[in-house]
Amino acid sequence: GAVVSQHPSRVICKSGTSVKIECRSLDFQATTMFWYRQFPKQSLMLMATSNEGSKATYEQGVEKDKFLINHASLTLSTLTVTSAHPEDSSFYICSARGVQGARRAFFGQGTRLTVV
Amino acid sequence: DQQVKQNSPSLSVQEGRISILNCDYTNSMFDYFLWYKKYPAEGPTFLISISSIKDKNEDGRFTVFLNKSAKHLSLHIVPSQPGDSAVYFCAASVAGTASKLTFGTGTRLQVTL
């Protein structure tokens, strides 16, 4: 299957700082990327959908000013958690879809964010 | 509103036996279903999928069954192996939503020796 690389795999930051997480499609061009969040022992919750070159579409309840998403190229999307707080501590996962109309997306390995 | 539900949070199966993981959904607009396997601190790995025009799809040891009238799907793993121990998520998407997936809550499968 296609490869999606997410970096960093884990990060610890202080309250009030911002953290950037990168998601790269290594062997295909990702027209659409998705960002998910998973709390311990819970399901993956979709945060936002981003299409290359356009603004991200956020799910209800997700603060767009807090979770900044940039999809500047067909192989890279970034999620920036701004002014992080301990409650933002979570596991963040990206996925990428290549061909328009493809029904399957490929997932990155996830990023464990801990805000202290 | 949990549109995709996995009512069994955990399942323990002996090696060599069949594992059956269940998933129910409420949104009749879902037309594509997927199963993912996930280890702690890793992203989900795709296992198998099924379109709503089918009722069965098989890939090696993995078979997914879809019962549209009951809004129910199941994943069968046979024979189960210790390496299958992981959390399994079912997911669903609606046509035209660019593969936006709605995930179930997951079932932790433990395959014992």
Side-chain angles (χ1 to χ4, degrees), chain A residues 10 32 34 36 38 41-44 46 49 59 91 93 97 101-110 112, chain B residues 2 31-32 34 36 38 41-44 46 89 93-101 103-106 108:
Chain A
R10 57 178 68 216
T32 306
F34 306 88
Y36 294 84
Q38 185 186 26
K41 297 186 180 180
Q42 293 190 27
S43 184
L44 284 77
L46 180 66
T49 303
E59 295 299 304
F91 191 62
I93 311 173
R97 192 200 69 177
R103 300 304 299 271
R104 191 182 359 147
F106 300 92
F107 284 82
Q109 57 268 62
R112 167 74 59 196
Chain B
Q2 190 70 35
D31 72 334
Y32 193 73
L34 310 90
Y36 285 87
K38 186 180 181 301
E42 292 185 15
F46 171 79
F89 288 94
S93 70
V94 176
T97 60
S99 303
K100 191 166 92 169
L101 297 177
F103 281 86
T105 47
R108 180 176 299 280

mmCIF file of all heavy atoms in Angstrom, chain A residues 10 32 34 36 38 41-44 46 49 59 91 93 97 101-110 112, chain B residues 2 31-32 34 36 38 41-44 46 89 93-101 103-106 108:
data_model
loop_
_atom_site.group_PDB
_atom_site.id
_atom_site.type_symbol
_atom_site.label_atom_id
_atom_site.label_comp_id
_atom_site.label_asym_id
_atom_site.label_seq_id
_atom_site.Cartn_x
_atom_site.Cartn_y
_atom_site.Cartn_z
ATOM 1 N N ARG A 10 6.367 11.554 18.587
ATOM 2 C CA ARG A 10 5.916 12.026 19.895
ATOM 3 C C ARG A 10 6.572 13.359 20.208
ATOM 4 O O ARG A 10 7.701 13.628 19.786
ATOM 5 C CB ARG A 10 6.177 11.014 20.997
ATOM 6 C CG ARG A 10 7.605 10.566 21.167
ATOM 7 C CD ARG A 10 7.723 9.600 22.321
ATOM 8 N NE ARG A 10 7.065 8.329 22.037
ATOM 9 C CZ ARG A 10 6.424 7.629 22.951
ATOM 10 N NH1 ARG A 10 6.339 8.058 24.189
ATOM 11 N NH2 ARG A 10 5.861 6.490 22.641
ATOM 12 N N THR A 32 -6.223 14.825 -1.051
ATOM 13 C CA THR A 32 -6.974 15.096 0.176
ATOM 14 C C THR A 32 -6.259 14.470 1.364
ATOM 15 O O THR A 32 -5.800 13.333 1.266
ATOM 16 C CB THR A 32 -8.401 14.520 0.097
ATOM 17 O OG1 THR A 32 -9.041 14.996 -1.079
ATOM 18 C CG2 THR A 32 -9.222 14.921 1.317
ATOM 19 N N PHE A 34 -6.562 14.034 5.755
ATOM 20 C CA PHE A 34 -7.473 14.095 6.888
ATOM 21 C C PHE A 34 -6.670 14.095 8.185
ATOM 22 O O PHE A 34 -5.650 13.426 8.278
ATOM 23 C CB PHE A 34 -8.410 12.877 6.902
ATOM 24 C CG PHE A 34 -9.167 12.664 5.626
ATOM 25 C CD1 PHE A 34 -8.629 11.910 4.596
ATOM 26 C CD2 PHE A 34 -10.425 13.195 5.457
ATOM 27 C CE1 PHE A 34 -9.320 11.698 3.414
ATOM 28 C CE2 PHE A 34 -11.139 12.989 4.277
ATOM 29 C CZ PHE A 34 -10.577 12.246 3.257
ATOM 30 N N TYR A 36 -7.067 13.301 12.271
ATOM 31 C CA TYR A 36 -7.888 12.674 13.294
ATOM 32 C C TYR A 36 -7.231 12.863 14.652
ATOM 33 O O TYR A 36 -6.027 13.085 14.767
ATOM 34 C CB TYR A 36 -8.026 11.160 13.039
ATOM 35 C CG TYR A 36 -8.793 10.787 11.797
ATOM 36 C CD1 TYR A 36 -8.166 10.750 10.556
ATOM 37 C CD2 TYR A 36 -10.140 10.443 11.868
ATOM 38 C CE1 TYR A 36 -8.867 10.390 9.413
ATOM 39 C CE2 TYR A 36 -10.839 10.073 10.732
ATOM 40 C CZ TYR A 36 -10.201 10.060 9.512
ATOM 41 O OH TYR A 36 -10.890 9.687 8.388
ATOM 42 N N GLN A 38 -7.311 10.933 18.588
ATOM 43 C CA GLN A 38 -7.780 9.787 19.350
ATOM 44 C C GLN A 38 -7.448 9.967 20.823
ATOM 45 O O GLN A 38 -6.273 10.124 21.182
ATOM 46 C CB GLN A 38 -7.160 8.482 18.845
ATOM 47 C CG GLN A 38 -7.721 7.256 19.546
ATOM 48 C CD GLN A 38 -7.019 5.976 19.168
ATOM 49 O OE1 GLN A 38 -5.859 5.982 18.772
ATOM 50 N NE2 GLN A 38 -7.714 4.863 19.300
ATOM 51 N N LYS A 41 -8.303 4.925 24.590
ATOM 52 C CA LYS A 41 -9.355 3.911 24.557
ATOM 53 C C LYS A 41 -10.633 4.420 23.889
ATOM 54 O O LYS A 41 -11.720 3.922 24.182
ATOM 55 C CB LYS A 41 -9.655 3.407 25.971
ATOM 56 C CG LYS A 41 -8.448 2.716 26.606
ATOM 57 C CD LYS A 41 -8.784 2.097 27.936
ATOM 58 C CE LYS A 41 -7.545 1.429 28.514
ATOM 59 N NZ LYS A 41 -7.807 0.803 29.819
ATOM 60 N N GLN A 42 -10.489 5.371 23.005
ATOM 61 C CA GLN A 42 -11.649 5.864 22.278
ATOM 62 C C GLN A 42 -11.405 5.760 20.787
ATOM 63 O O GLN A 42 -10.335 5.365 20.327
ATOM 64 C CB GLN A 42 -11.960 7.313 22.674
ATOM 65 C CG GLN A 42 -12.431 7.462 24.103
ATOM 66 C CD GLN A 42 -12.955 8.856 24.383
ATOM 67 O OE1 GLN A 42 -13.435 9.549 23.491
ATOM 68 N NE2 GLN A 42 -12.875 9.272 25.637
ATOM 69 N N SER A 43 -12.442 6.113 20.036
ATOM 70 C CA SER A 43 -12.343 6.009 18.594
ATOM 71 C C SER A 43 -11.540 7.159 18.005
ATOM 72 O O SER A 43 -11.200 8.113 18.695
ATOM 73 C CB SER A 43 -13.757 6.004 18.013
ATOM 74 O OG SER A 43 -13.715 5.815 16.621
ATOM 75 N N LEU A 44 -11.245 7.038 16.734
ATOM 76 C CA LEU A 44 -10.598 8.135 16.013
ATOM 77 C C LEU A 44 -11.684 9.126 15.604
ATOM 78 O O LEU A 44 -12.661 8.756 14.954
ATOM 79 C CB LEU A 44 -9.896 7.624 14.756
ATOM 80 C CG LEU A 44 -8.572 6.906 14.946
ATOM 81 C CD1 LEU A 44 -8.770 5.495 15.441
ATOM 82 C CD2 LEU A 44 -7.787 6.877 13.635
ATOM 83 N N LEU A 46 -12.597 12.476 13.469
ATOM 84 C CA LEU A 46 -12.129 13.343 12.402
ATOM 85 C C LEU A 46 -12.163 14.789 12.864
ATOM 86 O O LEU A 46 -13.172 15.261 13.384
ATOM 87 C CB LEU A 46 -13.002 13.166 11.162
ATOM 88 C CG LEU A 46 -12.633 14.021 9.951
ATOM 89 C CD1 LEU A 46 -11.265 13.609 9.404
ATOM 90 C CD2 LEU A 46 -13.690 13.896 8.860
ATOM 91 N N THR A 49 -10.704 18.071 7.181
ATOM 92 C CA THR A 49 -10.347 17.566 5.855
ATOM 93 C C THR A 49 -9.670 18.688 5.097
ATOM 94 O O THR A 49 -10.175 19.817 5.069
ATOM 95 C CB THR A 49 -11.602 17.136 5.083
ATOM 96 O OG1 THR A 49 -12.310 16.161 5.836
ATOM 97 C CG2 THR A 49 -11.240 16.576 3.721
ATOM 98 N N GLU A 59 -14.507 19.845 11.240
ATOM 99 C CA GLU A 59 -15.706 19.199 11.776
ATOM 100 C C GLU A 59 -16.287 20.073 12.898
ATOM 101 O O GLU A 59 -15.592 20.901 13.504
ATOM 102 C CB GLU A 59 -15.361 17.812 12.309
ATOM 103 C CG GLU A 59 -14.912 16.852 11.231
ATOM 104 C CD GLU A 59 -15.976 16.602 10.179
ATOM 105 O OE1 GLU A 59 -17.104 16.179 10.550
ATOM 106 O OE2 GLU A 59 -15.698 16.839 8.983
ATOM 107 N N PHE A 91 -3.511 11.754 20.850
ATOM 108 C CA PHE A 91 -2.823 11.084 19.745
ATOM 109 C C PHE A 91 -3.437 11.624 18.464
ATOM 110 O O PHE A 91 -4.635 11.489 18.237
ATOM 111 C CB PHE A 91 -3.021 9.564 19.871
ATOM 112 C CG PHE A 91 -2.164 8.743 18.956
ATOM 113 C CD1 PHE A 91 -0.786 8.786 19.057
ATOM 114 C CD2 PHE A 91 -2.731 7.900 18.013
ATOM 115 C CE1 PHE A 91 0.019 8.009 18.225
ATOM 116 C CE2 PHE A 91 -1.940 7.120 17.182
ATOM 117 C CZ PHE A 91 -0.563 7.182 17.285
ATOM 118 N N ILE A 93 -3.526 11.703 14.301
ATOM 119 C CA ILE A 93 -3.200 10.842 13.160
ATOM 120 C C ILE A 93 -3.668 11.510 11.873
ATOM 121 O O ILE A 93 -4.777 12.052 11.826
ATOM 122 C CB ILE A 93 -3.887 9.471 13.264
ATOM 123 C CG1 ILE A 93 -3.674 8.841 14.634
ATOM 124 C CG2 ILE A 93 -3.386 8.525 12.186
ATOM 125 C CD1 ILE A 93 -4.465 7.572 14.833
ATOM 126 N N ARG A 97 -5.378 10.589 0.897
ATOM 127 C CA ARG A 97 -6.018 9.896 -0.213
ATOM 128 C C ARG A 97 -5.435 10.421 -1.499
ATOM 129 O O ARG A 97 -5.185 11.616 -1.633
ATOM 130 C CB ARG A 97 -7.521 10.160 -0.173
ATOM 131 C CG ARG A 97 -8.330 9.273 -1.100
ATOM 132 C CD ARG A 97 -9.666 9.866 -1.390
ATOM 133 N NE ARG A 97 -9.533 11.051 -2.216
ATOM 134 C CZ ARG A 97 -10.559 11.750 -2.684
ATOM 135 N NH1 ARG A 97 -11.781 11.385 -2.365
ATOM 136 N NH2 ARG A 97 -10.380 12.802 -3.433
ATOM 137 N N GLY A 101 -11.829 10.173 -6.011
ATOM 138 C CA GLY A 101 -12.803 9.085 -6.059
ATOM 139 C C GLY A 101 -12.344 7.827 -5.368
ATOM 140 O O GLY A 101 -13.137 6.914 -5.149
ATOM 141 N N ALA A 102 -11.061 7.768 -4.996
ATOM 142 C CA ALA A 102 -10.589 6.593 -4.270
ATOM 143 C C ALA A 102 -11.283 6.542 -2.919
ATOM 144 O O ALA A 102 -11.435 7.555 -2.249
ATOM 145 C CB ALA A 102 -9.073 6.659 -4.085
ATOM 146 N N ARG A 103 -11.659 5.354 -2.515
ATOM 147 C CA ARG A 103 -12.432 5.239 -1.282
ATOM 148 C C ARG A 103 -11.556 4.900 -0.079
ATOM 149 O O ARG A 103 -12.024 4.907 1.042
ATOM 150 C CB ARG A 103 -13.510 4.172 -1.433
ATOM 151 C CG ARG A 103 -14.522 4.425 -2.538
ATOM 152 C CD ARG A 103 -15.232 5.765 -2.394
ATOM 153 N NE ARG A 103 -15.987 5.901 -1.194
ATOM 154 C CZ ARG A 103 -17.277 5.538 -1.054
ATOM 155 N NH1 ARG A 103 -17.905 4.977 -2.054
ATOM 156 N NH2 ARG A 103 -17.912 5.739 0.086
ATOM 157 N N ARG A 104 -10.288 4.564 -0.337
ATOM 158 C CA ARG A 104 -9.429 4.182 0.777
ATOM 159 C C ARG A 104 -8.362 5.223 1.009
ATOM 160 O O ARG A 104 -7.758 5.719 0.061
ATOM 161 C CB ARG A 104 -8.782 2.835 0.487
ATOM 162 C CG ARG A 104 -8.113 2.315 1.736
ATOM 163 C CD ARG A 104 -7.376 1.025 1.630
ATOM 164 N NE ARG A 104 -7.314 0.306 0.425
ATOM 165 C CZ ARG A 104 -6.246 -0.426 0.084
ATOM 166 N NH1 ARG A 104 -5.202 -0.438 0.857
ATOM 167 N NH2 ARG A 104 -6.249 -1.116 -1.000
ATOM 168 N N ALA A 105 -8.140 5.569 2.270
ATOM 169 C CA ALA A 105 -7.072 6.489 2.624
ATOM 170 C C ALA A 105 -6.029 5.739 3.432
ATOM 171 O O ALA A 105 -6.331 4.754 4.099
ATOM 172 C CB ALA A 105 -7.633 7.656 3.436
ATOM 173 N N PHE A 106 -4.817 6.213 3.375
ATOM 174 C CA PHE A 106 -3.697 5.574 4.068
ATOM 175 C C PHE A 106 -3.284 6.436 5.246
ATOM 176 O O PHE A 106 -3.246 7.658 5.145
ATOM 177 C CB PHE A 106 -2.534 5.361 3.097
ATOM 178 C CG PHE A 106 -2.903 4.487 1.936
ATOM 179 C CD1 PHE A 106 -3.367 5.032 0.753
ATOM 180 C CD2 PHE A 106 -2.799 3.108 2.035
ATOM 181 C CE1 PHE A 106 -3.727 4.224 -0.317
ATOM 182 C CE2 PHE A 106 -3.155 2.289 0.978
ATOM 183 C CZ PHE A 106 -3.624 2.846 -0.193
ATOM 184 N N PHE A 107 -2.952 5.776 6.345
ATOM 185 C CA PHE A 107 -2.699 6.489 7.583
ATOM 186 C C PHE A 107 -1.222 6.630 7.893
ATOM 187 O O PHE A 107 -0.419 5.749 7.590
ATOM 188 C CB PHE A 107 -3.382 5.777 8.756
ATOM 189 C CG PHE A 107 -4.869 6.004 8.799
ATOM 190 C CD1 PHE A 107 -5.715 5.249 8.010
ATOM 191 C CD2 PHE A 107 -5.406 6.987 9.605
ATOM 192 C CE1 PHE A 107 -7.088 5.465 8.032
ATOM 193 C CE2 PHE A 107 -6.783 7.206 9.639
ATOM 194 C CZ PHE A 107 -7.619 6.447 8.851
ATOM 195 N N GLY A 108 -0.896 7.743 8.522
ATOM 196 C CA GLY A 108 0.425 7.920 9.099
ATOM 197 C C GLY A 108 0.515 7.150 10.405
ATOM 198 O O GLY A 108 -0.460 6.545 10.866
ATOM 199 N N GLN A 109 1.686 7.191 11.011
ATOM 200 C CA GLN A 109 1.912 6.404 12.227
ATOM 201 C C GLN A 109 1.450 7.125 13.485
ATOM 202 O O GLN A 109 1.487 6.562 14.567
ATOM 203 C CB GLN A 109 3.377 5.985 12.350
ATOM 204 C CG GLN A 109 4.359 7.149 12.336
ATOM 205 C CD GLN A 109 4.868 7.465 10.927
ATOM 206 O OE1 GLN A 109 4.108 7.813 10.038
ATOM 207 N NE2 GLN A 109 6.165 7.365 10.738
ATOM 208 N N GLY A 110 1.010 8.372 13.347
ATOM 209 C CA GLY A 110 0.460 9.090 14.490
ATOM 210 C C GLY A 110 1.504 9.875 15.261
ATOM 211 O O GLY A 110 2.709 9.606 15.190
ATOM 212 N N ARG A 112 2.041 11.394 19.220
ATOM 213 C CA ARG A 112 1.582 11.510 20.602
ATOM 214 C C ARG A 112 2.002 12.872 21.127
ATOM 215 O O ARG A 112 3.184 13.136 21.261
ATOM 216 C CB ARG A 112 2.208 10.401 21.452
ATOM 217 C CG ARG A 112 2.051 10.593 22.965
ATOM 218 C CD ARG A 112 0.658 10.323 23.426
ATOM 219 N NE ARG A 112 0.215 8.976 23.118
ATOM 220 C CZ ARG A 112 -1.048 8.580 23.139
ATOM 221 N NH1 ARG A 112 -2.007 9.436 23.459
ATOM 222 N NH2 ARG A 112 -1.361 7.340 22.845
ATOM 223 N N GLN B 2 -23.085 8.315 17.931
ATOM 224 C CA GLN B 2 -22.137 7.334 17.420
ATOM 225 C C GLN B 2 -22.782 6.599 16.256
ATOM 226 O O GLN B 2 -23.632 5.734 16.448
ATOM 227 C CB GLN B 2 -21.749 6.367 18.555
ATOM 228 C CG GLN B 2 -20.606 5.451 18.240
ATOM 229 C CD GLN B 2 -19.260 6.174 18.160
ATOM 230 O OE1 GLN B 2 -19.014 7.107 18.888
ATOM 231 N NE2 GLN B 2 -18.419 5.730 17.261
ATOM 232 N N ASP B 31 -21.957 3.735 2.267
ATOM 233 C CA ASP B 31 -21.958 2.775 1.172
ATOM 234 C C ASP B 31 -20.613 2.081 0.999
ATOM 235 O O ASP B 31 -20.418 1.312 0.049
ATOM 236 C CB ASP B 31 -22.366 3.450 -0.138
ATOM 237 C CG ASP B 31 -21.289 4.368 -0.674
ATOM 238 O OD1 ASP B 31 -20.485 4.878 0.134
ATOM 239 O OD2 ASP B 31 -21.237 4.566 -1.897
ATOM 240 N N TYR B 32 -19.698 2.358 1.905
ATOM 241 C CA TYR B 32 -18.381 1.718 1.808
ATOM 242 C C TYR B 32 -17.868 1.522 3.217
ATOM 243 O O TYR B 32 -17.922 2.448 4.039
ATOM 244 C CB TYR B 32 -17.431 2.610 1.003
ATOM 245 C CG TYR B 32 -16.156 1.936 0.567
ATOM 246 C CD1 TYR B 32 -16.158 0.984 -0.446
ATOM 247 C CD2 TYR B 32 -14.936 2.271 1.154
ATOM 248 C CE1 TYR B 32 -14.992 0.381 -0.863
ATOM 249 C CE2 TYR B 32 -13.775 1.665 0.748
ATOM 250 C CZ TYR B 32 -13.802 0.723 -0.263
ATOM 251 O OH TYR B 32 -12.637 0.122 -0.675
ATOM 252 N N LEU B 34 -14.860 -0.321 5.875
ATOM 253 C CA LEU B 34 -13.468 -0.755 5.951
ATOM 254 C C LEU B 34 -13.182 -1.287 7.353
ATOM 255 O O LEU B 34 -13.790 -0.868 8.331
ATOM 256 C CB LEU B 34 -12.514 0.415 5.664
ATOM 257 C CG LEU B 34 -12.774 1.257 4.407
ATOM 258 C CD1 LEU B 34 -13.702 2.428 4.709
ATOM 259 C CD2 LEU B 34 -11.450 1.779 3.850
ATOM 260 N N TYR B 36 -9.838 -1.721 9.923
ATOM 261 C CA TYR B 36 -8.450 -1.358 10.169
ATOM 262 C C TYR B 36 -7.971 -2.065 11.432
ATOM 263 O O TYR B 36 -8.729 -2.306 12.363
ATOM 264 C CB TYR B 36 -8.304 0.149 10.365
ATOM 265 C CG TYR B 36 -8.398 0.977 9.099
ATOM 266 C CD1 TYR B 36 -9.630 1.407 8.616
ATOM 267 C CD2 TYR B 36 -7.250 1.330 8.390
ATOM 268 C CE1 TYR B 36 -9.717 2.164 7.467
ATOM 269 C CE2 TYR B 36 -7.324 2.096 7.236
ATOM 270 C CZ TYR B 36 -8.560 2.506 6.787
ATOM 271 O OH TYR B 36 -8.643 3.259 5.639
ATOM 272 N N LYS B 38 -5.064 -1.754 14.481
ATOM 273 C CA LYS B 38 -4.236 -0.710 15.068
ATOM 274 C C LYS B 38 -3.509 -1.206 16.299
ATOM 275 O O LYS B 38 -4.095 -1.801 17.197
ATOM 276 C CB LYS B 38 -5.108 0.507 15.424
ATOM 277 C CG LYS B 38 -4.313 1.715 15.903
ATOM 278 C CD LYS B 38 -5.216 2.877 16.225
ATOM 279 C CE LYS B 38 -4.399 4.089 16.681
ATOM 280 N NZ LYS B 38 -3.585 3.820 17.878
ATOM 281 N N ALA B 41 -0.051 3.469 19.811
ATOM 282 C CA ALA B 41 0.887 4.507 19.351
ATOM 283 C C ALA B 41 1.289 4.339 17.886
ATOM 284 O O ALA B 41 2.381 4.770 17.483
ATOM 285 C CB ALA B 41 2.124 4.547 20.235
ATOM 286 N N GLU B 42 0.433 3.704 17.115
ATOM 287 C CA GLU B 42 0.667 3.607 15.677
ATOM 288 C C GLU B 42 -0.605 3.994 14.934
ATOM 289 O O GLU B 42 -1.705 3.966 15.492
ATOM 290 C CB GLU B 42 1.061 2.187 15.271
ATOM 291 C CG GLU B 42 2.421 1.753 15.780
ATOM 292 C CD GLU B 42 2.808 0.378 15.230
ATOM 293 O OE1 GLU B 42 2.174 -0.082 14.255
ATOM 294 O OE2 GLU B 42 3.744 -0.215 15.772
ATOM 295 N N GLY B 43 -0.456 4.328 13.659
ATOM 296 C CA GLY B 43 -1.628 4.610 12.855
ATOM 297 C C GLY B 43 -2.323 3.325 12.437
ATOM 298 O O GLY B 43 -1.743 2.249 12.478
ATOM 299 N N PRO B 44 -3.592 3.418 12.059
ATOM 300 C CA PRO B 44 -4.331 2.229 11.614
ATOM 301 C C PRO B 44 -3.766 1.666 10.305
ATOM 302 O O PRO B 44 -3.325 2.413 9.438
ATOM 303 C CB PRO B 44 -5.747 2.758 11.393
ATOM 304 C CG PRO B 44 -5.817 4.054 12.108
ATOM 305 C CD PRO B 44 -4.432 4.613 12.062
ATOM 306 N N PHE B 46 -4.795 -0.672 7.055
ATOM 307 C CA PHE B 46 -5.956 -1.182 6.334
ATOM 308 C C PHE B 46 -5.908 -2.701 6.226
ATOM 309 O O PHE B 46 -4.866 -3.293 5.938
ATOM 310 C CB PHE B 46 -5.987 -0.567 4.930
ATOM 311 C CG PHE B 46 -7.018 -1.172 4.024
ATOM 312 C CD1 PHE B 46 -8.347 -0.810 4.132
ATOM 313 C CD2 PHE B 46 -6.662 -2.122 3.080
ATOM 314 C CE1 PHE B 46 -9.301 -1.369 3.308
ATOM 315 C CE2 PHE B 46 -7.606 -2.691 2.252
ATOM 316 C CZ PHE B 46 -8.926 -2.312 2.360
ATOM 317 N N PHE B 89 -10.720 -1.579 14.231
ATOM 318 C CA PHE B 89 -11.739 -0.554 14.040
ATOM 319 C C PHE B 89 -12.488 -0.822 12.743
ATOM 320 O O PHE B 89 -11.872 -1.108 11.710
ATOM 321 C CB PHE B 89 -11.099 0.832 13.934
ATOM 322 C CG PHE B 89 -10.548 1.360 15.225
ATOM 323 C CD1 PHE B 89 -9.210 1.184 15.554
ATOM 324 C CD2 PHE B 89 -11.366 2.050 16.107
ATOM 325 C CE1 PHE B 89 -8.706 1.684 16.742
ATOM 326 C CE2 PHE B 89 -10.868 2.554 17.299
ATOM 327 C CZ PHE B 89 -9.533 2.367 17.618
ATOM 328 N N SER B 93 -17.933 5.127 5.136
ATOM 329 C CA SER B 93 -17.951 6.417 4.453
ATOM 330 C C SER B 93 -19.155 6.507 3.521
ATOM 331 O O SER B 93 -19.740 5.495 3.132
ATOM 332 C CB SER B 93 -16.658 6.660 3.678
ATOM 333 O OG SER B 93 -16.567 5.811 2.560
ATOM 334 N N VAL B 94 -19.491 7.735 3.206
ATOM 335 C CA VAL B 94 -20.620 8.029 2.318
ATOM 336 C C VAL B 94 -20.064 8.442 0.970
ATOM 337 O O VAL B 94 -19.082 9.184 0.892
ATOM 338 C CB VAL B 94 -21.475 9.172 2.915
ATOM 339 C CG1 VAL B 94 -22.594 9.567 1.962
ATOM 340 C CG2 VAL B 94 -22.032 8.775 4.267
ATOM 341 N N ALA B 95 -20.674 7.978 -0.090
ATOM 342 C CA ALA B 95 -20.227 8.349 -1.435
ATOM 343 C C ALA B 95 -20.211 9.860 -1.576
ATOM 344 O O ALA B 95 -21.115 10.555 -1.110
ATOM 345 C CB ALA B 95 -21.164 7.735 -2.474
ATOM 346 N N GLY B 96 -19.155 10.355 -2.212
ATOM 347 C CA GLY B 96 -19.063 11.787 -2.472
ATOM 348 C C GLY B 96 -18.503 12.599 -1.322
ATOM 349 O O GLY B 96 -18.469 13.826 -1.392
ATOM 350 N N THR B 97 -18.052 11.940 -0.270
ATOM 351 C CA THR B 97 -17.510 12.693 0.871
ATOM 352 C C THR B 97 -15.995 12.575 0.928
ATOM 353 O O THR B 97 -15.393 12.775 1.973
ATOM 354 C CB THR B 97 -18.115 12.200 2.203
ATOM 355 O OG1 THR B 97 -17.800 10.815 2.365
ATOM 356 C CG2 THR B 97 -19.596 12.412 2.243
ATOM 357 N N ALA B 98 -15.402 12.238 -0.213
ATOM 358 C CA ALA B 98 -13.941 12.225 -0.323
ATOM 359 C C ALA B 98 -13.283 11.303 0.700
ATOM 360 O O ALA B 98 -12.260 11.642 1.263
ATOM 361 C CB ALA B 98 -13.396 13.637 -0.178
ATOM 362 N N SER B 99 -13.855 10.150 0.911
ATOM 363 C CA SER B 99 -13.257 9.154 1.816
ATOM 364 C C SER B 99 -13.218 9.597 3.258
ATOM 365 O O SER B 99 -12.390 9.146 4.031
ATOM 366 C CB SER B 99 -11.820 8.802 1.379
ATOM 367 O OG SER B 99 -11.795 8.332 0.080
ATOM 368 N N LYS B 100 -14.112 10.491 3.635
ATOM 369 C CA LYS B 100 -14.182 10.879 5.044
ATOM 370 C C LYS B 100 -14.726 9.690 5.821
ATOM 371 O O LYS B 100 -15.825 9.210 5.565
ATOM 372 C CB LYS B 100 -15.120 12.077 5.187
ATOM 373 C CG LYS B 100 -15.088 12.734 6.540
ATOM 374 C CD LYS B 100 -15.774 14.079 6.495
ATOM 375 C CE LYS B 100 -17.224 14.001 6.842
ATOM 376 N NZ LYS B 100 -17.832 15.331 7.050
ATOM 377 N N LEU B 101 -13.925 9.205 6.742
ATOM 378 C CA LEU B 101 -14.289 7.990 7.458
ATOM 379 C C LEU B 101 -14.881 8.287 8.821
ATOM 380 O O LEU B 101 -14.407 9.151 9.547
ATOM 381 C CB LEU B 101 -13.055 7.104 7.646
ATOM 382 C CG LEU B 101 -12.394 6.574 6.375
ATOM 383 C CD1 LEU B 101 -11.151 5.766 6.730
ATOM 384 C CD2 LEU B 101 -13.361 5.724 5.579
ATOM 385 N N PHE B 103 -15.388 6.296 12.260
ATOM 386 C CA PHE B 103 -14.855 5.102 12.898
ATOM 387 C C PHE B 103 -15.750 4.616 14.026
ATOM 388 O O PHE B 103 -16.417 5.390 14.708
ATOM 389 C CB PHE B 103 -13.464 5.388 13.483
ATOM 390 C CG PHE B 103 -12.369 5.370 12.461
ATOM 391 C CD1 PHE B 103 -12.067 6.500 11.722
ATOM 392 C CD2 PHE B 103 -11.629 4.220 12.238
ATOM 393 C CE1 PHE B 103 -11.057 6.476 10.768
ATOM 394 C CE2 PHE B 103 -10.617 4.188 11.292
ATOM 395 C CZ PHE B 103 -10.332 5.318 10.564
ATOM 396 N N GLY B 104 -15.708 3.303 14.219
ATOM 397 C CA GLY B 104 -16.308 2.714 15.404
ATOM 398 C C GLY B 104 -15.370 2.887 16.589
ATOM 399 O O GLY B 104 -14.285 3.460 16.469
ATOM 400 N N THR B 105 -15.786 2.382 17.725
ATOM 401 C CA THR B 105 -15.027 2.572 18.970
ATOM 402 C C THR B 105 -13.919 1.555 19.163
ATOM 403 O O THR B 105 -13.114 1.692 20.065
ATOM 404 C CB THR B 105 -15.976 2.512 20.165
ATOM 405 O OG1 THR B 105 -16.825 1.374 20.011
ATOM 406 C CG2 THR B 105 -16.832 3.766 20.246
ATOM 407 N N GLY B 106 -13.879 0.556 18.316
ATOM 408 C CA GLY B 106 -12.784 -0.396 18.388
ATOM 409 C C GLY B 106 -13.081 -1.610 19.245
ATOM 410 O O GLY B 106 -13.825 -1.549 20.216
ATOM 411 N N ARG B 108 -10.739 -4.710 21.034
ATOM 412 C CA ARG B 108 -9.396 -5.237 21.289
ATOM 413 C C ARG B 108 -9.446 -6.753 21.201
ATOM 414 O O ARG B 108 -10.141 -7.418 21.973
ATOM 415 C CB ARG B 108 -8.907 -4.805 22.667
ATOM 416 C CG ARG B 108 -7.503 -5.312 23.004
ATOM 417 C CD ARG B 108 -7.034 -4.778 24.349
ATOM 418 N NE ARG B 108 -6.979 -3.318 24.338
ATOM 419 C CZ ARG B 108 -5.987 -2.606 23.812
ATOM 420 N NH1 ARG B 108 -4.960 -3.212 23.262
ATOM 421 N NH2 ARG B 108 -6.026 -1.282 23.853
#
